[in-house]
Amino acid sequence: MTLDPDIPIKTAPEARSPFDLLWLDPSVMTLRRIAGLTRLTLDGDRSWLRATPARAFPISDPDHYIGFLDGLGNDIGIVRDPSELDETSRQILAEDLEVRYFVPVVQRVVSVKLEFGTVYWKLETSRGPRDIVVRNMRDNLQELSAIRVLITDIEGNRYDFPDINTLDPESLGVILRHQ
Amino acid sequence: MPLLQSTPDPVAAALAARKPAPSKAHESGIDAEHARRSIIFETDISGGVFGKEWLVVENGHLYVFIPNGGGPAETRHALPISEIRAARAEMHIGNGSIEVDTADLTIPLVRFTYASAAEATLVARWIQALVAGDDIRDETVEPRKRLCARCGRVLPEGSDICRACIDARAVMLRLFRYLAPHKVPASLSVVVIIVSAVLELVPPWIGGRIVDAVVKSVRSASTDMSQIYYYVGIFAASRLGMSGAMYAQRRLNAYLGARVLMDIRVSIFERLSVLSCSYYDKRNTASVMSRITNDADHLWDFLTDGIPWFMSTLLAIIGTSTVLFSMNAPLAALLLAPGVFVFLLNRWFQPRAKRRWQQVWHRISKMYAALGTTLTGIRVVKAFAQEERERERFRERNVNVFRASYEANALWATYWPILGFIMASGYLILWSYGGYLVIHRVMTVGALTAFGGYLMRFYTPFQEFSRVIDWSTRSLTAAERVFEVLDTEPEVRGAPEPVTPTVWRGAVEFDKVGFSYDGATRVLDDFSLSVRPGEMIGLVGHSGAGKTTLINILCRFYDVSDGAIRIDGVDLRDLDMEGFRHRLGIVPQEPFLFPGTIRDNIAYANPGASVEAVMEAAKAANCHEFVLKFPDGYDTQVGERGQRLSGGERQRISIARAILHDPLILILDEATASVDTQTEQLIQEAIQRLIANRTTFAIAHRLSTLRNADRLVVMEHGKMVELGSHDELMEIDGVYAGLVKIQTEVNKLRAV
């Protein structure tokens, strides 16, 4: 992902209209843990308690463009590249993102069984082993690209299959048949 | 189930370690008390990966335990309930967490996936209730993943029927019971099938006899044709008989299938019309409709084609094998071998072909969907000059369809040659071994010819039998789904001995009414209100505050969960429903017009009303003028393909319908939500005339429309928060006054 250096970074909130995005400058912004909550401080004087990070592109570019919402769900601003934050802030951001996003990435399909239109998967994922049941694959399969799919199980949890071509032929068959 | 009834061993061990063991004498009493007050919630995320943790509330304390190998669980948190200020379940993406606030800290306790979200929300609410000193309500959550009690497989959505556990015999018997009223055609049909199966055996046999007769005549140099004419006569008679039987069979099946289907459809619809609204809430209309359309169609296939086909195929196999084995048993046995291969080939081929064709159909439907979207949005496509990209997208979908259908059809390329070869190998066996038998005078040439004639008839059932399993499963499932509807009992039932009030006056009393749609979330709580006959009540509140729910339970679309609603002193559940609904009128938010004329629609609740009464109601509802302007006046067709009416016009027809119905209790559900200010004026006037002398409940977002209400009920989160006239509520300067201020501001903006 290339960042556009031509967009000026505005940090003076009073100078902008409520309809402009506020680009947060990582060099003047810190995240700290206060009483179990995350406090976002800008320029050393403005701060928000209970700041929540949200990825603008959780699927296509999860590591850039992290937006922040305050406790009431109002937009604070957005960071282009969080890797420029200080060490502690990066750590807190990583923890908060880990808690907010729980979409296991499938590493291996142990077994797959199709019975009466319901698919029973036994998976090894980035979040540990899990058995899931998917009813009506067609409606619960989301094609993100030619090789990547998201599958929603019967309980509403989503599972990321990053590259279906690395799957065993049987699993690949089940997915292709419903694409 | 994330909410546990019994304490898991590691947790029990950890709890035991925390407190001295209770003395034996008190144990049972304490346990009973604990069982009532304790919560054990098992999560499915631990340390950022799938795993168990336990949130336990016991003895006025809240604990979080995490597994510690096989030993007693490790305690991560132990908090007295008295230190907790608030508890909540926060939903994130793919997971959520239960958090509590203490005086100076927010503590995330446990995380859970969507699989336990409903239970987690309930647990958070329970903790909140404990913090507030309230009792825990005995609530349960409907799990999203319901398993078959017998085999543990996941049950289909909105159904309790496991497709693996269907009792095929019982379903078949019940299906056949629908044939009972049609005994004569049904037994006739069976007779005809048997007759035609027997007649089918005649032609090859005759063929054989003719060949033998010819051979005999040639050998003896006789020119006598009489025997040949005799056989040709039999042949002609049997063919004629077969045609007759086929004619009779087709007609009988067509009649029986259609007739039984009609009976089934009628009984499904009868049941559907009786079922309560809650039945429809849990299912979407399309899935309910498919019971009458798709499932019934599968049954039609089964009854008209399936059963007769099955019977005649079975008879054909028995008949052909009997004849072949009686003519020459060893040859018949040898000929069975290719039949087995035909069967195996189909067992292998059918599921593969089915899967590929499903893929083809799926891709075709995706292509059509893309086409539909693009053509609907063609103005946008052209305005942004994206034709090229849309062409490319459509091409791509077409390439997918092409690939799938090529693969599916290519499979046939493998199938037919193999099948052809196997079938032909039957003739190889027949001619080599049969020829040997003829030459050695064991069999006649005629018998060999007859064998040849029977051979294909012998193999066809093998080819088709593998389809039977698939097809019978589908029909049985369809039958089960139909019977499931027929067996559903309505939740709202009429009273066994309906009571009619001595006088219908229109007094309505809500007595501590509580209601929940799903048994978990309470949408109405402790609602009490006494309404005098003829009074107008305005219901005010944000969407989701419980206004529509209040209307739904007043109409008795649902029964209250707690408390009671009394009409003129009689509990709604004991009331004579028909009498009550005749005195109830509704003007819904989205007026619903049935296909038919305007006159039919106004007179929907009173089909016997005179045309004069219809016109008077229309005049009172401010529709008379616009109806007269239509070329067809009151005879104008509305609904699906009829005259297009504006939202305001439809609404006024709906009001006319209510005026003609002349109800004692009237419900106005956002009657002016979707119309412009001028039309609203017309509708308001109509409503004014409508509400005179009726007990009226009106919901409105535009508060100005409620200015004539005697009393306003302000609702928030299922509770009544304010009650009084407009002036009284403005005086209090509470929620209502706030809403009025906001609307005045907005109206000012609009005016600018």
Side-chain angles (χ1 to χ4, degrees):
Chain A
M1 169 70 58
T2 52
L3 304 179
D4 186 355
D6 292 337
I7 297 176
I9 288 180
K10 290 190 215 160
T11 48
E14 48 286 328
R16 72 195 180 100
S17 108
F19 298 106
D20 282 340
L21 266 182
L22 173 61
W23 294 98
L24 301 172
D25 182 353
S27 61
V28 297
M29 147 185 176
T30 55
L31 297 173
R32 292 294 176 265
R33 192 75 78 201
I34 309 289
L37 301 170
T38 304
R39 189 186 66 189
L40 186 156
T41 308
L42 209 54
D43 279 335
D45 57 4
R46 280 173 61 86
S47 65
W48 292 265
L49 194 59
R50 212 174 238 286
T52 317
R55 289 180 170 130
F57 304 97
I59 289 165
S60 58
D61 189 14
D63 298 331
H64 293 100
Y65 299 109
I66 309 293
F68 285 88
L69 304 172
D70 69 11
L72 298 172
N74 297 319
D75 170 40
I76 300 172
I78 193 157
V79 176
R80 268 197 202 121
D81 187 359
S83 67
E84 292 168 21
L85 288 168
D86 67 85
E87 176 70 35
T88 320
S89 303
R90 275 209 311 267
Q91 180 70 33
I92 289 172
L93 179 62
E95 285 169 20
D96 284 358
L97 288 176
E98 195 277 327
V99 168
R100 185 172 158 84
Y101 295 91
F102 191 89
V103 181
V105 180
V106 176
Q107 291 158 339
R108 193 170 82 88
V109 176
V110 181
S111 74
V112 58
K113 189 173 69 169
L114 199 151
E115 259 185 5
F116 302 109
T118 302
V119 187
Y120 297 76
W121 300 87
K122 208 178 241 309
L123 302 174
E124 271 171 26
T125 75
S126 58
R127 305 282 193 155
R130 182 85 159 172
D131 294 351
I132 66 167
V133 181
V134 183
R135 190 161 43 203
N136 194 357
M137 275 283 282
R138 221 151 263 174
D139 294 345
N140 289 304
L141 185 139
Q142 205 184 332
E143 286 170 67
L144 301 179
S145 72
I147 59 163
R148 190 172 170 202
V149 299
L150 273 182
I151 289 181
T152 309
D153 78 353
I154 202 167
E155 297 173 311
N157 291 314
R158 291 193 301 177
Y159 295 83
D160 187 351
F161 289 70
D163 184 354
I164 54 173
N165 291 322
T166 62
L167 297 174
D168 58 293
E170 204 181 342
S171 311
L172 180 65
V174 169
I175 290 176
L176 286 183
R177 229 177 292 143
H178 296 98
Q179 246 178 10
Chain B
M1 279 301 294
L3 281 173
L4 305 182
Q5 295 300 320
S6 62
T7 321
D9 290 341
V11 174
L15 279 172
R18 297 195 65 86
K19 61 182 177 200
S23 66
K24 287 278 171 204
H26 295 113
E27 202 170 353
S28 57
I30 289 172
D31 269 4
E33 178 72 5
H34 282 177
R36 208 166 54 75
R37 302 292 307 270
S38 69
I39 302 169
I40 305 158
F41 174 63
E42 186 174 273
T43 70
D44 51 0
I45 301 180
S46 177
V49 299
F50 292 116
K52 286 175 185 172
E53 285 182 10
W54 298 279
L55 188 156
V56 178
V57 176
E58 204 178 60
N59 259 346
H61 278 68
L62 190 157
Y63 305 97
V64 174
F65 295 112
I66 54 178
N68 184 14
E74 191 183 311
T75 310
R76 193 204 285 148
H77 296 289
L79 284 168
I81 295 287
S82 56
E83 276 184 25
I84 299 173
R85 297 286 164 89
R88 70 193 154 265
E90 290 271 352
M91 293 314 297
H92 312 305
I93 289 107
N95 75 129
S97 57
I98 298 182
E99 292 180 357
V100 292
D101 291 338
T102 62
D104 49 4
L105 212 57
T106 297
I107 308 170
L109 294 175
V110 287
R111 294 173 68 188
F112 50 86
T113 71
Y114 288 165
S116 329
E119 288 88 351
T121 316
L122 198 57
V123 166
R125 207 159 61 232
W126 281 342
I127 299 174
Q128 182 67 43
L130 287 177
V131 169
D134 295 340
D135 257 352
I136 292 179
R137 248 188 243 279
D138 203 11
E139 294 171 70
T140 48
V141 186
E142 174 92 347
R144 295 173 92 164
K145 181 163 131 186
R146 294 169 311 120
L147 302 177
C148 168
R150 264 176 57 193
C151 67
R153 285 186 183 84
V154 174
L155 291 172
E157 214 162 352
S159 161
D160 288 329
I161 290 159
C162 175
R163 289 194 236 179
C165 296
I166 292 178
D167 182 355
R169 270 237 313 259
V171 177
M172 289 289 256
L173 275 178
R174 194 163 166 191
L175 209 52
F176 280 119
R177 224 175 291 156
Y178 277 91
L179 286 172
H182 316 289
K183 281 197 190 76
V184 176
S187 29
L188 254 176
S189 166
V190 172
V191 170
V192 167
I193 287 172
I194 295 173
V195 168
S196 70
V198 172
L199 288 178
E200 290 247 4
L201 294 173
V202 174
W205 179 77
I206 294 291
R209 302 311 295 239
I210 290 177
V211 169
D212 276 349
V214 169
V215 168
K216 211 170 144 195
S217 305
V218 170
R219 272 204 202 125
S220 58
S222 138
T223 50
D224 179 19
M225 285 290 287
S226 62
Q227 211 178 359
I228 291 183
Y229 287 142
Y230 169 68
Y231 285 128
V232 169
I234 296 180
F235 180 84
S238 75
R239 282 255 52 131
L240 210 63
M242 269 162 70
S243 298
M246 194 192 279
Y247 170 80
Q249 195 191 335
R250 296 254 152 167
R251 286 196 73 106
L252 280 167
N253 289 348
Y255 171 80
L256 273 176
R259 191 52 224 260
V260 169
L261 188 64
M262 181 187 103
D263 295 345
I264 292 179
R265 276 204 188 116
V266 168
S267 48
I268 303 176
F269 188 77
E270 264 169 20
R271 177 53 58 167
L272 286 176
S273 65
V274 172
L275 289 174
S276 333
C277 291
S278 55
Y279 178 84
Y280 294 95
D281 291 346
K282 288 176 199 151
R283 296 158 180 84
N284 59 28
T285 320
S287 108
V288 174
M289 273 178 64
S290 95
R291 304 288 165 105
I292 298 194
T293 55
N294 289 341
D295 290 344
D297 279 351
H298 281 314
L299 288 186
W300 154 283
D301 285 347
F302 182 71
L303 292 167
T304 50
D305 294 336
I307 296 179
W309 177 85
F310 185 76
M311 280 176 63
S312 55
T313 307
L314 199 68
L315 288 173
I317 291 181
I318 296 170
T320 332
S321 349
T322 315
V323 172
L324 290 186
F325 275 89
S326 67
M327 286 202 307
N328 190 303
L331 181 58
L334 265 179
L335 287 174
L336 262 180
V340 173
F341 282 109
V342 171
F343 177 73
L344 289 177
L345 175 72
N346 279 288
R347 275 280 302 259
W348 176 86
F349 177 79
Q350 296 282 358
R352 278 164 184 78
K354 192 179 143 195
R355 260 182 262 158
R356 297 215 175 162
W357 281 109
Q358 278 177 342
Q359 189 176 16
V360 174
W361 294 321
H362 176 52
R363 290 195 178 171
I364 288 178
S365 73
K366 272 175 104 172
M367 179 184 78
Y368 287 163
L371 183 67
T373 317
T374 313
L375 292 186
T376 324
I378 193 74
R379 281 162 197 279
V380 182
V381 174
K382 287 194 171 294
F384 289 103
Q386 295 298 314
E387 293 97 327
E388 182 56 42
R389 191 166 62 163
E390 292 302 331
R391 271 201 293 273
E392 190 44 47
R393 199 149 38 189
F394 187 65
R395 208 190 110 77
E396 211 174 284
R397 304 253 176 190
N398 260 309
V399 169
N400 285 338
V401 172
F402 155 71
R403 286 213 188 102
S405 66
Y406 167 70
E407 275 177 29
N409 278 307
L411 203 60
W412 292 117
T414 321
Y415 173 75
W416 287 116
I418 298 180
L419 185 75
F421 183 76
I422 298 177
M423 296 260 208
S425 71
Y427 284 101
L428 293 182
I429 297 170
L430 177 69
W431 286 330
S432 37
Y433 187 59
Y436 169 86
L437 291 174
V438 171
I439 287 171
H440 286 80
R441 302 288 189 274
V442 181
M443 212 168 73
T444 63
V445 182
L448 186 65
T449 317
F451 254 99
Y454 282 120
L455 204 55
M456 279 304 129
R457 229 174 281 262
F458 190 49
Y459 287 157
T460 322
F462 286 102
Q463 198 187 336
E464 288 177 339
F465 245 135
S466 49
R467 250 178 41 207
V468 173
I469 302 161
D470 180 47
W471 154 84
S472 61
T473 317
R474 207 179 43 212
S475 317
L476 283 176
T477 316
E480 271 280 5
R481 280 154 57 91
V482 165
F483 292 146
E484 187 192 30
V485 176
L486 295 180
D487 293 342
T488 309
E489 288 296 326
E491 278 176 31
V492 174
R493 288 161 199 255
E497 285 169 42
V499 182
T500 313
T502 32
V503 196
W504 288 97
R505 292 160 52 239
V508 179
E509 192 194 352
F510 293 88
D511 184 5
K512 296 201 175 84
V513 168
F515 183 73
S516 166
Y517 286 99
D518 55 2
T521 330
R522 302 196 72 79
V523 282
L524 211 58
D525 214 1
D526 201 20
F527 184 91
S528 292
L529 178 69
S530 208
V531 183
R532 295 184 304 276
E535 192 177 15
M536 178 177 177
I537 300 289
L539 296 169
V540 183
H542 298 285
S543 39
K547 305 181 302 271
T548 307
T549 305
L550 199 67
I551 298 305
N552 281 344
I553 58 172
L554 175 61
C555 298
R556 210 181 167 212
F557 292 149
Y558 305 90
D559 271 339
V560 294
S561 311
D562 303 316
I565 298 178
R566 280 182 279 273
I567 309 292
D568 292 324
V570 180
D571 192 310
L572 199 51
R573 283 164 291 195
D574 302 328
L575 198 64
D576 167 30
M577 262 302 112
E578 210 171 316
F580 174 59
R581 295 232 168 103
H582 278 307
R583 288 168 178 80
L584 186 74
I586 304 176
V587 181
Q589 183 171 2
E590 307 233 322
F592 190 84
L593 300 188
F594 292 92
T597 64
I598 290 182
R599 177 193 161 188
D600 294 342
N601 265 291
I602 295 177
Y604 182 73
N606 312 58
S610 70
V611 283
E612 282 95 0
V614 168
M615 280 193 288
E616 270 162 25
K619 176 70 187 167
N622 274 349
C623 355
H624 187 65
E625 292 81 4
F626 79 76
V627 172
L628 281 190
K629 281 178 198 152
F630 289 146
D632 294 345
Y634 283 92
D635 293 327
T636 304
Q637 290 283 339
V638 292
E640 254 173 281
R641 264 171 308 191
Q643 172 89 23
R644 291 186 64 85
L645 301 183
S646 73
E649 288 166 347
R650 300 163 73 88
Q651 193 57 270
R652 278 178 279 165
I653 288 181
S654 163
I655 292 172
R657 187 190 283 166
I659 291 178
L660 184 66
H661 184 47
D662 192 19
L664 196 60
I665 298 172
L666 176 70
I667 289 162
L668 302 170
D669 187 357
E670 288 273 5
T672 57
S674 54
V675 293
D676 58 78
T677 323
Q678 203 176 357
T679 316
E680 189 192 344
Q681 191 64 37
L682 291 171
I683 296 177
Q684 273 304 324
E685 288 171 19
I687 287 177
Q688 277 317 308
R689 289 194 279 269
L690 175 60
I691 63 175
N693 301 320
R694 301 176 212 278
T695 311
T696 306
F697 291 85
I699 298 181
H701 276 297
R702 274 184 223 168
L703 301 175
S704 55
T705 54
L706 294 178
R707 57 181 173 250
N708 297 310
D710 297 307
R711 280 189 295 169
L712 294 161
V713 173
V714 185
M715 301 192 62
E716 254 183 6
H717 307 299
K719 287 191 170 142
M720 186 198 297
V721 287
E722 285 171 18
L723 173 69
S725 68
H726 171 85
D727 295 337
E728 287 165 9
L729 293 184
M730 291 308 284
E731 189 94 343
I732 307 172
D733 199 17
V735 180
Y736 178 76
L739 287 171
V740 172
K741 268 173 215 149
I742 293 171
Q743 293 211 346
T744 322
E745 291 297 314
V746 172
N747 286 341
K748 268 188 207 152
L749 269 177
R750 280 215 192 111
V752 172

